[in-house]
């Protein structure tokens, strides 16, 4: 039952549309003839308007003609920069494509129309363009999409208070909701449409909405309600005297009575409809009425009468078909004649226009050729200038690169003297039998000695790298058998690998008599750095494999690990001097970026090549390619390892073992004994630094140590802590992330934090400051300094927590004032640099400061009590005030442009609001 009602409803609407369309087609033809008469005597924008109206009138008559006139209107409107004509012609072409069921092209034109309307800020056309797009979505049964665009159309309709557009939008919303079976919403929008049509006394619109409501109630199964609305439509039809619509409504009333079983009423309204249809020669309606009467008679059992009406229905069908065929032929013939005449007129006009265009194009082409010649010449001059500039810059870069290398070499050379004095004095103290040192003093001296030796070793490496670059190192080449030599070197790292629970192995498919010509003392540095680099970036359960094989005349030595991997953007710079990957969450030891650069230089002097492949999270492979030889005798001795590996292992082995703990979740350790002392949590990945700080403070405080942020959080969960001392750069979780975690936890964010770090740049200070920390102690520091900082923080903790519950730490005013001044000055300079940029926002500032938008927002708000938008505006006003005082501006337009405001009217209003006087007054006063 419901399905038949739905089908009937849509058929009913289709019939109404057909009757209305036929009536409008007759009117359109009259309008078309009138418009064509006017077309011959028109030009410019007036002609573009007539062409657009022809496209509109042809939309239901002939879609191809509608497209033709729409295209003509668009081209003419575009040539005259007539925005309204451009938008309308685009919409009319879209409608023509829609009527041809070419929804793809229709959608394209409607979207172009919408874009043009938005650029022109034409609210009316924005509304109708959105409606057109919504209807395309309906045809494609994308009702959600249709609703979105009808809702968009509602906004300009309401702003313009355009009642016709509002009624049209509500009607389309109702029809969309009806198709979605949301009957209550559909009815609500239909009723809004009806109220507007009544207010406008739009009888034609009232007929349409009455039929829509009748169809809706019919779908809901409310036949009585549907009857009510069809009767309502008859009242409106009588006002406009549309006989076709009257026959349609009477027919539908008859069909509903028939469905209800009221055959007498059904026959009565069928006969009334038949009278109107015959009087107006509505053959299609007559056919349907005969069909309905046939069904009524059949329902009464009067089969003779039913057969009679059935035959009349068939006769009408044949007659309608013949008439439609004849009408179509005549229509096509007349249309052809009309279009032929129009085409001839347009052809003559185009000939004249083409001749004018040829003259203009010839002149333009000559001018263009001249411009192209000038551009080619200017580009050639510019290219020569750029080549010269690039050559100069390349030379400068080479000079800078050399200067940088010399700078590091000089520094390393200059460091040797103080280091020699440090180590020499250490030896004297150690050998002096009369000196008495406590156990702690001896340990402190040993730490100082070992770190001085490490620094001395690093200076040696820098000097060696500089010598390699300058070609001052000569190799002592020997023919060394590959397998036993590499096997011996790899064995030196077995204990380190076992300590980290990393599986280290050496595989070779190379024959025993294969050898390479190398300087063993230098070549072992290559292997050492490659293997230590692999071990450094692997963890418990990972593997490091050293593999050798031959390919043609080359020996391939590969070092593969299954560790962290290297970021792709870092790979091109990996062998550059002093380069360090900008981001690696697992690094537990930051070198100077010398090791791999040294490897590259040593490989080059050996006549080899080195490459690297890597994928983050999966590991890396370093591939060393060297020429090899085949030994006639296999009695070549394996060279002994030099002091390089032994010295480096001696100096860094203990530190690495303490640092590269395979499990970051080891047991928590504390050296506190006096339970009444305040508890400090010391977080630093360097074991010797932790030991040093702990010794400084342990007489007055309990100290619990953690190697990284992960361990620190575990301690905070399990122990009460009074103050946290943390480094910034640590593995697993660095100091920045630790501060964020503490800020997020209600129990931890009131714990004072002292940042102790070697990093103290403005960017680092900004990152720390935006996390609520204002106390930074730069390494190196004195015992008195750190103890005083700790004491001050703990003394002020209670008052600070009470007054500033949303931050972690007490402001260290002398320090924070300097940082604030520096950061605010940086922000101010950034704003002034882009003072005339209308798109200047906090996001632009954040990108320039290499910080997140949120951090910069919080920082500016904290330091100025203004939002970034307000702060930028305030700087702009002060800047503008100075320009006016210096008489640097001529008028308000220039003033608005100077501070990045496009709308002069809005600028004047804001200026008056800010300075309580007009811009003109202030400029006149300072004239």
């Amino acid at each position: 039952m419901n399905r038949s009602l739905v089908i009937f409803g849509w058929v009913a609407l289709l019939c109404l549309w057909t009757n209305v369309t036929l009536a409008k087609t007759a009117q359109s033809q009259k309008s078309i003839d009138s418009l064509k008469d006017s077309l011959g005597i028109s030009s410019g924008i007036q002609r573009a308007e007539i062409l657009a109206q022809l496209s509109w009138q042809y939309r239901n008559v002939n879609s191809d003609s509608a497209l033709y006139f729409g295209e003509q209107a668009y081209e003419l409107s575009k040539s005259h920069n007539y925005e309204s004509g451009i938008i309308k012609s685009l919409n009319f072409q879209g409608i023509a494509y829609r009527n041809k069921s070419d929804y793809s092209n229709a959608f394209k034109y409607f979207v172009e129309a919408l874009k043009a309307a938005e650029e022109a800020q034409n609210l009316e056309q924005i509304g109708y363009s959105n409606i057109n797009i919504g209807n395309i979505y309906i045809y494609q049964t994308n009702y959600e999409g249709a609703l979105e665009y009808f809702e968009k159309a509602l906004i300009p309709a309401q702003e313009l208070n355009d009642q016709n557009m509002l009624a049209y939008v509500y009607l389309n919303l109702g029809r969309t909701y009806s198709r979605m079976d949301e009957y209550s919403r559909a009815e609500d929008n239909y009723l809004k449409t009806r109220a507007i049509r009544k207010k406008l006394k739009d009888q034609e619109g009232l007929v349409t909405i009455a039929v829509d409501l009748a169809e809706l109630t019919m779908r809901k199964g409310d036949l009585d309600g549907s009857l009510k609305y069809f009767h309502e439509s008859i009242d409106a039809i009588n006002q406009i005297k549309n006989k076709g619509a009257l026959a349609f409504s009477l027919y539908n009333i008859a069909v509903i009575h028939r469905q209800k079983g009221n055959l007498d009423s059904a026959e009565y309204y069928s006969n009334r409809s038949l009278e109107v249809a015959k009087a107006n020669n509505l053959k299609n309606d007559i056919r349907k009425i005969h069909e309905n009467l046939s069904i009524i008679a059949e329902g009464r059992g009067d089969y003779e009468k039913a057969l009679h009406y059935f035959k009349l229905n068939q006769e009408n069908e044949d007659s309608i078909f013949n008439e439609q065929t004849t009408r179509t032929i005549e229509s096509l013939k007349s249309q052809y004649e009309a279009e032929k005449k129009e085409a001839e007129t347009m052809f003559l006009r185009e000939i004249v226009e083409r001749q004018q265009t040829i003259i203009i194009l010839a002149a333009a082409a000559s001018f263009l050729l001249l411009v192209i010649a000038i551009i080619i010449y200017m580009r050639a001059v510019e290219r020569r200038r750029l080549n010269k500039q690039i050559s100069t810059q390349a030379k400068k870069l080479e000079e800078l690169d050399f200067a940088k290398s010399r700078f590091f070499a000089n520094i390393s050379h200059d460091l040797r003297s103080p280091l020699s004095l440090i180590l020499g004095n250490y030896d004297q103290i150690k050998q002096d039998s009369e000196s008495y040192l406590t156990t702690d003093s001896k340990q402190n001296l040993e730490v100082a000695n070992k770190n001085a030796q490490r620094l001395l070793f690093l200076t040696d490496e820098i000097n060696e790298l500089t010598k390699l670059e300058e070609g001052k190192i000569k190799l002592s080449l020997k023919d060394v058998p590959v397998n036993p030599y590499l096997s011996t070197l790899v064995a030196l790292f077995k204990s380190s690998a076992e300590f980290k629970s990393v599986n280290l192995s050496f595989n070779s498919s190379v024959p025993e008599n294969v050898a390479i010509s190398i300087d063993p003392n230098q070549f072992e540095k290559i292997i050492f750095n490659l293997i230590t680099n692999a071990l450094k970036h692997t963890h418990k359960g990972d593997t490091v494999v050293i593999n050798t094989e031959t390919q043609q005349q080359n020996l391939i030595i590969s070092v593969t690990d299954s560790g962290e991997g290297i970021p792709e953007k870092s790979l091109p710079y990996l062998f550059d001097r002093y380069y360090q990957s900008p981001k690696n969450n697992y690094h537990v030891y930051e070198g100077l970026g010398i090791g791999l650069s040294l490897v590259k230089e040593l490989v080059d002097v050996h006549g080899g090549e080195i490459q690297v492949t890597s994928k983050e999270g999966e590991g890396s492979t370093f591939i060393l390619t060297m020429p090899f030889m085949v030994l006639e005798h296999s009695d070549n001795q394996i060279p002994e390892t030099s002091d390089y590996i032994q010295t480096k292992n001696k100096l860094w082995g203990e530190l690495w073992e303490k640092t590269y703990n395979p499990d970051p979740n080891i047991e928590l350790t504390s050296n506190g004994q006096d339970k009444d002392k305040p508890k400090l949590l010391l977080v630093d990945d360097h074991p010797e630094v932790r030991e040093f700080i702990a010794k400084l403070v342990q007489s007055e405080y309990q100290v619990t140590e953690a190697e990284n942020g992960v361990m620190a959080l575990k301690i905070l969960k399990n122990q009460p802590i009074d103050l946290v001392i943390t480094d910034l750069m640590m593995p697993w979780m660095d100091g920045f992330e630790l501060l964020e975690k503490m800020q997020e936890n209600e129990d931890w964010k009131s714990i004072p934090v002292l940042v102790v770090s070697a990093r103290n740049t403005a960017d680092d200070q900004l990152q720390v400051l935006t996390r609520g920390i204002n106390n930074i102690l730069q390494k190196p520091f004195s015992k008195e300094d750190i103890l005083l900082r700790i004491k001050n923080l703990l003394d002020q903790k209670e008052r600070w927590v009470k007054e500033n519950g949303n931050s972690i730490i007490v402001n260290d005013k002398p320090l924070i004032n300097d940082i604030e001044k520096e950061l605010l000055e940086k922000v101010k300079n950034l704003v002034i640099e882009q003072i005339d940029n209308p798109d200047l926002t906090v996001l632009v500032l954040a990108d320039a400061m290499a910080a997140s938008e949120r951090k910069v927002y919080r920082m500016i708000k904290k330091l100025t009590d203004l939002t970034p938008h307000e702060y930028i505006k305030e700087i702009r006003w002060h800047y503008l005030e100075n320009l006016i005082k210096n008489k640097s501006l001529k008028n308000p337009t220039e003033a608005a442009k100077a501070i990045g405001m496009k709308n002069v009217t809005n600028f004047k209003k804001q200026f008056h609001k800010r300075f309580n006087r007009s811009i003109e007054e202030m400029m006149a006063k300072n004239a």
Side-chain angles (χ1 to χ4, degrees):
M1 175 64 177
N2 286 338
R3 180 177 175 80
S4 63
L5 289 176
V6 171
I7 293 171
F8 170 74
W10 288 117
V11 171
L13 278 176
L14 182 62
C15 294
L16 174 63
W17 178 81
T18 303
N19 287 330
V20 172
T21 300
L22 288 172
K24 287 184 177 179
T25 300
Q27 294 175 349
S28 295
Q29 194 58 54
K30 293 179 183 178
S31 300
I32 288 168
D33 294 338
S34 174
L35 288 167
K36 284 187 174 180
D37 291 339
S38 304
L39 192 64
I41 57 173
S42 63
S43 61
I45 292 175
Q46 183 187 13
R47 182 178 176 83
E49 275 290 342
I50 294 171
L51 287 168
Q53 288 303 315
L54 278 167
S55 176
W56 172 252
Q57 295 297 336
Y58 264 119
R59 73 192 186 284
N60 293 323
V61 178
N62 186 291
S63 297
D64 291 325
S65 296
L67 273 176
Y68 172 76
F69 288 111
E71 288 170 1
Q72 295 291 318
Y74 175 75
E75 294 299 333
L76 191 56
S77 298
K78 193 174 179 182
S79 67
H80 287 82
N81 199 23
Y82 178 39
E83 290 179 340
S84 179
I86 290 171
I87 300 164
K88 282 193 285 188
S89 59
L90 285 170
N91 267 319
F92 294 163
Q93 288 179 78
I95 291 169
Y97 275 117
R98 184 192 68 194
N99 291 344
K100 288 165 66 75
S101 299
D102 186 350
Y103 300 130
S104 178
N105 273 318
F107 186 81
K108 182 182 78 173
Y109 278 95
F110 289 149
V111 169
E112 285 186 28
L114 178 59
K115 183 179 178 182
E118 287 175 343
E119 288 176 356
Q121 296 183 344
N122 188 327
L123 291 178
E124 181 184 22
Q125 289 301 324
I126 288 172
Y128 283 115
S129 297
N130 276 305
I131 291 170
N132 287 332
I133 293 172
N135 280 322
I136 292 296
Y137 277 110
I138 286 181
Y139 291 134
Q140 295 179 331
T141 67
N142 184 348
Y143 300 129
E144 294 292 343
L147 285 176
E148 179 184 346
Y149 281 93
F150 291 145
E151 292 288 352
K152 286 180 181 178
L154 198 56
I155 296 171
Q158 290 172 337
E159 286 187 30
L160 294 170
N161 196 24
D162 187 331
Q163 296 298 306
N164 275 318
M165 192 190 297
L166 279 169
Y168 192 30
V169 173
Y170 287 135
L171 178 66
N172 280 290
L173 282 169
R175 286 176 174 172
T176 306
Y177 280 124
S178 177
R179 285 164 170 80
M180 296 170 71
D181 296 332
E182 294 191 27
Y183 300 133
S184 60
R185 286 190 175 184
E187 187 173 13
D188 180 53
N189 282 284
Y190 281 156
L191 292 175
K192 286 179 183 177
T193 306
R194 187 172 68 163
I196 295 172
R197 295 299 186 200
K198 280 185 177 180
K199 183 179 177 181
L200 296 174
K201 297 181 181 178
D202 180 3
Q203 299 300 328
E204 222 175 85
L206 285 170
V207 172
T208 302
I209 193 59
V211 172
D212 275 303
L213 283 163
E215 179 271 329
L216 180 66
T217 50
M218 189 183 299
R219 291 185 67 188
K220 291 164 64 176
D222 182 5
L223 295 178
D224 291 330
S226 186
L227 276 174
K228 171 190 149 188
Y229 285 120
F230 273 124
H231 281 295
E232 184 179 306
S233 72
I234 290 173
D235 295 336
I237 289 167
N238 289 329
Q239 298 289 328
I240 61 174
K241 297 182 171 46
N242 187 328
K243 298 301 181 181
L246 179 61
F248 165 78
S249 290
L250 288 169
Y251 163 74
N252 282 297
I253 292 171
V255 170
I256 292 172
H257 277 299
R258 191 197 78 210
Q259 290 179 340
K260 292 180 67 177
N262 301 332
L263 298 182
D264 291 337
S265 296
E267 186 172 11
Y268 167 75
Y269 282 105
S270 291
N271 287 325
R272 279 191 62 188
S273 176
L274 188 61
E275 289 173 10
V276 175
K278 284 182 176 180
N280 292 276
N281 196 31
L282 303 174
K283 292 189 177 182
N284 197 47
D285 287 348
I286 292 170
R287 180 190 63 76
K288 290 186 293 173
I289 296 165
H290 281 151
E291 183 181 7
N292 194 37
L293 284 167
S294 175
I295 296 170
I296 293 168
E298 184 181 359
R300 285 176 164 166
D302 189 348
Y303 298 111
E304 185 177 345
K305 197 172 185 180
L307 181 61
H308 168 70
Y309 284 123
F310 178 77
K311 288 180 178 180
L312 290 175
N313 175 44
Q314 292 297 314
E315 290 172 4
N316 283 327
E317 276 190 359
D318 295 339
S319 174
I320 289 168
F321 176 77
N322 292 332
E323 284 187 10
Q324 284 179 342
T325 304
T326 305
R327 194 184 301 116
T328 301
I329 293 170
E330 291 298 322
S331 174
L332 290 172
K333 184 178 179 182
S334 61
Q335 180 184 329
Y336 170 75
E337 294 296 333
E339 290 181 357
K340 182 180 178 183
K341 184 178 179 182
E342 176 64 22
E344 289 172 354
T345 305
M346 294 299 295
F347 178 70
L348 292 173
R349 184 185 295 274
E350 285 175 2
I351 289 175
V352 174
E353 291 176 352
R354 192 179 295 118
Q355 289 174 345
Q356 293 174 342
T357 303
I358 289 170
I359 294 170
I360 294 169
L361 286 175
S366 301
F367 177 74
L368 186 61
L369 286 171
L370 178 62
V371 171
I372 291 171
I374 293 171
I375 290 172
I376 291 172
Y377 174 74
M378 294 299 292
R379 288 190 66 181
V381 172
E382 179 66 14
R383 190 180 293 109
R384 283 196 296 271
R385 187 187 69 80
L386 286 174
N387 287 337
K388 186 177 179 181
Q389 183 179 348
I390 290 168
S391 177
T392 304
Q393 287 177 345
K395 188 176 180 181
K396 284 183 178 179
L397 285 172
E398 287 180 6
E399 291 172 356
L400 285 172
D401 190 51
F402 179 75
K404 183 175 72 171
S405 297
R406 293 309 310 164
F407 172 73
F408 278 104
N410 291 337
I411 285 179
S412 64
H413 181 268
D414 291 343
L415 283 173
R416 294 186 69 84
S417 294
L419 285 171
S420 298
L421 291 172
I422 292 171
L423 293 169
N425 279 285
Y426 164 78
D427 288 335
Q428 286 185 17
I429 293 171
K430 188 175 180 182
Q431 294 170 12
D432 189 352
S433 59
E434 295 181 2
S435 299
Y436 173 74
L437 296 175
T438 64
T439 304
D440 285 346
S441 297
K442 288 180 179 178
Q443 288 178 353
N444 291 338
L445 274 176
E446 283 299 327
V447 171
N449 172 58
K450 190 166 289 185
N451 279 281
Q453 288 185 9
R454 289 170 186 160
L455 190 54
L456 184 63
F457 191 88
L458 289 175
T459 63
D460 289 339
E461 284 201 326
I462 292 173
N463 285 329
E464 185 169 12
L465 183 58
T466 304
K467 289 179 182 178
L468 278 167
E469 290 167 352
E470 296 174 354
K472 293 181 179 179
I473 288 186
K474 295 183 179 180
L475 300 180
S476 298
L477 298 177
K478 293 181 180 180
D479 297 338
V480 178
V482 172
N483 287 342
Y485 177 64
L486 289 181
S487 178
T488 302
L489 291 180
V490 172
L492 295 175
F493 298 92
K494 282 290 184 180
S495 60
S496 297
E498 288 172 1
F499 180 82
K500 291 191 69 176
S501 299
V502 172
N503 183 22
L504 175 67
S505 61
F506 171 66
N507 299 324
S508 178
S509 59
V510 175
E512 291 297 323
N513 60 347
V514 168
I516 48 177
S517 182
I518 59 172
D519 182 337
N521 290 336
Q522 300 296 341
F523 194 80
E524 70 181 30
K525 296 175 185 178
I526 299 173
I527 302 302
F528 177 87
N529 279 289
L530 291 178
I531 296 179
T532 53
N533 188 68
L535 290 173
K536 202 182 295 183
H537 299 285
T538 50
H539 310 289
K540 182 177 180 180
D542 286 337
T543 59
V544 175
V545 178
I546 294 84
N547 187 69
T548 59
E549 60 181 347
T550 55
Q551 288 183 6
Q552 297 178 348
Q553 299 301 313
N554 290 320
L555 173 71
I556 308 297
I557 303 172
S558 62
V559 180
T560 303
D561 67 75
S562 61
E564 305 155 11
I566 304 166
E568 186 177 354
K569 63 182 181 181
S570 296
L571 292 176
Y573 316 106
L574 208 60
F575 297 107
D576 291 354
R577 280 159 293 166
Y578 316 117
Y579 176 77
Q580 292 172 315
S581 179
K583 182 182 179 184
N584 193 320
N585 293 331
Y586 309 100
H587 278 180
V588 292
Y589 172 75
E590 282 196 285
L592 296 178
I594 296 174
L596 289 178
S597 178
L598 184 63
V599 166
K600 179 70 166 63
E601 296 291 342
L602 288 172
V603 169
D604 287 345
V605 297
H606 276 88
E609 293 180 1
I610 188 163
Q611 296 174 317
V612 59
T613 60
S614 184
K615 190 171 182 181
E616 268 194 284
E618 296 185 9
S620 308
T621 299
F622 286 81
I623 303 169
L624 172 60
T625 304
M626 296 277 294
F628 73 91
M629 63 188 69
V630 178
L631 298 174
E632 294 181 3
H633 307 287
S634 58
D635 57 351
N636 291 58
Q637 292 184 351
I638 303 169
E640 294 182 0
T641 57
S642 69
D643 293 338
Y644 180 84
I645 293 179
Q646 296 172 3
T647 303
K648 202 155 189 177
N649 278 334
K650 178 182 175 183
L651 291 176
W652 274 275
E654 182 183 348
L655 180 62
W656 287 340
E657 287 182 0
K658 290 180 180 178
T659 304
Y660 301 136
N661 197 296
D663 185 359
N665 298 312
I666 63 172
E667 293 298 319
L668 313 178
T669 61
S670 173
N671 64 353
Q673 295 178 351
D674 189 344
K675 300 297 182 182
D676 295 329
K677 292 180 182 179
K679 293 184 178 180
L680 307 186
L681 173 57
L682 176 56
V683 191
D684 197 302
D685 61 316
H686 199 297
E688 292 178 350
V689 172
R690 289 201 310 273
E691 184 178 351
F692 172 67
I693 296 175
K695 284 182 179 180
L696 292 180
V697 302
Q698 66 184 0
S699 62
E700 298 181 36
Y701 304 102
Q702 296 183 76
V703 180
T704 299
E705 298 180 22
E707 293 180 6
N708 50 57
V710 175
M711 289 183 63
L713 291 180
K714 186 171 181 181
I715 293 170
L716 287 169
K717 289 177 184 177
N718 292 280
Q719 295 184 23
I721 297 297
D722 296 302
L723 182 139
V724 174
I725 302 173
T726 182
D727 190 11
L728 291 179
M729 304 310 296
M730 297 180 291
W732 303 101
M733 180 188 292
D734 62 22
F736 297 113
E737 190 175 351
L738 173 61
L739 297 179
E740 287 181 355
K741 296 291 185 183
M742 291 181 67
Q743 183 72 66
E744 293 167 2
N745 189 291
E746 291 295 326
D747 295 330
W748 302 338
K749 68 180 181 180
S750 61
I751 300 175
V753 177
L754 174 61
V755 172
V756 179
S757 178
R759 295 182 56 153
N760 200 24
T761 64
D763 287 338
D764 289 327
Q765 291 171 1
L766 171 62
Q767 290 193 60
V768 173
L769 184 65
T770 53
R771 288 167 172 83
I773 302 300
N774 303 324
N775 213 317
I776 308 171
L777 182 60
Q778 187 173 7
K779 299 176 183 177
F781 50 84
S782 67
K783 177 179 180 179
E784 292 76 15
D785 196 358
I786 191 170
L787 288 175
L788 181 61
R789 299 256 188 151
I790 294 170
K791 183 177 182 300
N792 288 341
L793 290 176
L794 290 175
D795 287 346
Q796 298 174 33
K797 177 181 178 182
E798 185 175 352
R799 178 169 57 84
W800 176 257
V801 173
K802 183 178 179 182
E803 296 176 1
N804 302 277
N806 290 330
S807 185
I808 297 180
I809 187 65
V810 180
N811 282 335
D812 182 2
K813 283 295 179 185
L815 177 63
I816 190 60
N817 287 342
D818 291 342
I819 297 173
E820 287 174 355
K821 186 182 292 186
E822 184 178 350
L823 293 174
L824 275 177
E825 189 65 26
K826 185 174 183 180
V827 173
K828 182 181 177 182
N829 290 337
L830 286 171
V831 174
I832 291 174
E833 283 173 11
Q834 303 192 51
I835 200 78
D836 59 348
N837 179 8
D839 300 318
L840 180 61
T841 62
V842 65
L843 183 59
V844 177
L845 295 178
D847 287 342
M849 297 183 73
S852 72
E853 185 177 356
R854 183 181 173 193
K855 288 175 187 173
V856 175
Y857 183 96
R858 288 190 307 186
M859 182 199 67
I860 294 175
K861 182 70 176 173
K862 181 177 185 293
L863 301 183
T864 66
D865 203 29
L866 296 171
T867 66
H869 176 72
E870 293 168 342
Y871 184 60
I872 292 170
K873 189 182 289 185
E874 196 60 26
I875 294 175
R876 281 175 161 164
W877 288 134
H878 284 297
Y879 180 82
L880 180 63
E881 196 173 11
N882 288 330
L883 289 179
I884 294 172
K885 288 178 181 177
N886 295 331
K887 303 175 185 178
S888 303
L889 300 170
K890 297 178 182 178
N891 51 55
T893 303
E894 199 173 295
K897 187 178 179 182
I899 60 171
M901 294 186 72
K902 295 179 179 178
N903 191 319
V904 181
T905 305
N906 183 43
F907 162 73
K908 288 181 177 181
K909 288 180 182 177
Q910 290 196 35
F911 185 93
H912 193 281
K913 183 178 179 181
R914 172 64 177 79
F915 295 101
N916 202 25
R917 69 173 80 177
S918 69
I919 178 72
E920 290 85 357
E921 289 177 33
M922 184 176 280
M923 293 180 78
K925 183 180 177 181
N926 290 276

